Every structure is written in structure tokens, then in C-alpha cells.
Amino acid sequence: QVRVTESGGGAVEDGGSLRLSCEVSGHKYCDYGMTWYRQAPGKDYEFVSGIDDDGRTSYADSVKGRFTISRGEDKNTVYLQMNNLKPADTAMYACKAVCYNHGDRVPPDQWGQGSQVTVSS
């Protein structure tokens, strides 16, 4: 059974840093792409950052230059380093894992449980 486990959320002050982790376990044949989304209170989910199965990264304009997504040595863990956090970054952050097998996407996508990030002014 595939499992996506997140960790690393918390509360910091304006300008602080946090690192989120997203680990995929239980797969057999997947090369995983990972995407972080976030949902602030009363708002829709929005894309934050992603890394595909080839290691290409992408970022929302609102986090460029402040957030960095990277993959661990085991390739099954992805990190989101968040620096210079702002109160507007306060949200529930969720990781989505997308399975690729020889370049073909294999559904279903798997979601983590979410990590709360709170930035105070």
C-alpha cells in the first residue's frame, strides 16, 4: 500500500524558516513526481512547488526566491525549504505524489495528510 507521509510544519515569526518533508513508501515500480499545494483559511488550494520524475522543478511566483524544492538521496523523499516566510504563507500544506512508470503517468495520485504552517507578524 502506497503511503505519503508529511512532516515539518509549525509556527514561526515573519522572516523565519521551515522545512517540510514528504516521503512516499510502499511503491513497487514508480518514479515519483511530487507537488506541494497549500490552502489558506477560506481560500482554494493553490500550487506552491513541484519536482517531476526527471528532477525538473517549478514554483509559484509568490514563493520564487524564497522556497526551494529538492529530492533526497533515496529519491522517495522530497523537501520544501521555506525561507523568509511571511504571514501570507500561513496555510495547510499538502504533498501530492504522482507515479510515473517509464515516463507514463500511473494513477491514482496519492496525497499526504497535510502540514500546518503558521507565520505570525
Side-chain angles (χ1 to χ4, degrees), residues 71-99:
R71 195 181 291 276
E73 291 185 1
D74 65 359
K75 297 187 177 182
N76 296 327
T77 301
V78 169
Y79 303 99
L80 184 67
Q81 177 67 43
M82 305 183 293
N83 297 329
N84 191 21
L85 282 161
K86 305 174 182 179
D89 296 316
T90 295
M92 178 68 73
Y93 285 69
C95 174
K96 182 178 75 172
V98 179
C99 169

Side-chain angles (χ1 to χ4, degrees), residues 1-117:
Q1 181 178 357
V2 178
R3 177 180 297 177
V4 180
T5 304
E6 299 174 25
S7 61
V12 296
E13 294 184 349
D14 192 353
S17 298
L18 286 171
R19 189 177 79 160
L20 300 178
S21 300
C22 178
E23 180 181 5
V24 182
S25 62
H27 66 91
K28 292 182 178 180
Y29 52 81
C30 297
D31 293 319
Y32 278 100
M34 306 281 205
T35 305
W36 288 96
Y37 294 85
R38 67 186 182 187
Q39 185 176 32
K43 296 186 177 181
D44 293 332
Y45 265 104
E46 65 172 350
F47 167 79
V48 177
S49 179
I51 183 167
D52 68 14
D53 56 326
D54 288 329
R56 291 172 294 213
T57 60
S58 56
Y59 298 92
D61 288 341
S62 60
V63 306
K64 281 181 181 177
R66 300 188 297 122
F67 290 12
T68 303
I69 191 169
S70 62
R71 195 181 291 276
E73 291 185 1
D74 65 359
K75 297 187 177 182
N76 296 327
T77 301
V78 169
Y79 303 99
L80 184 67
Q81 177 67 43
M82 305 183 293
N83 297 329
N84 191 21
L85 282 161
K86 305 174 182 179
D89 296 316
T90 295
M92 178 68 73
Y93 285 69
C95 174
K96 182 178 75 172
V98 179
C99 169
Y100 293 92
N101 182 245
H102 298 294
D104 295 326
R105 185 168 178 168
V106 181
D109 300 340
Q110 303 288 341
W111 287 86
Q113 78 280 10
S115 296
Q116 179 65 40
V117 171

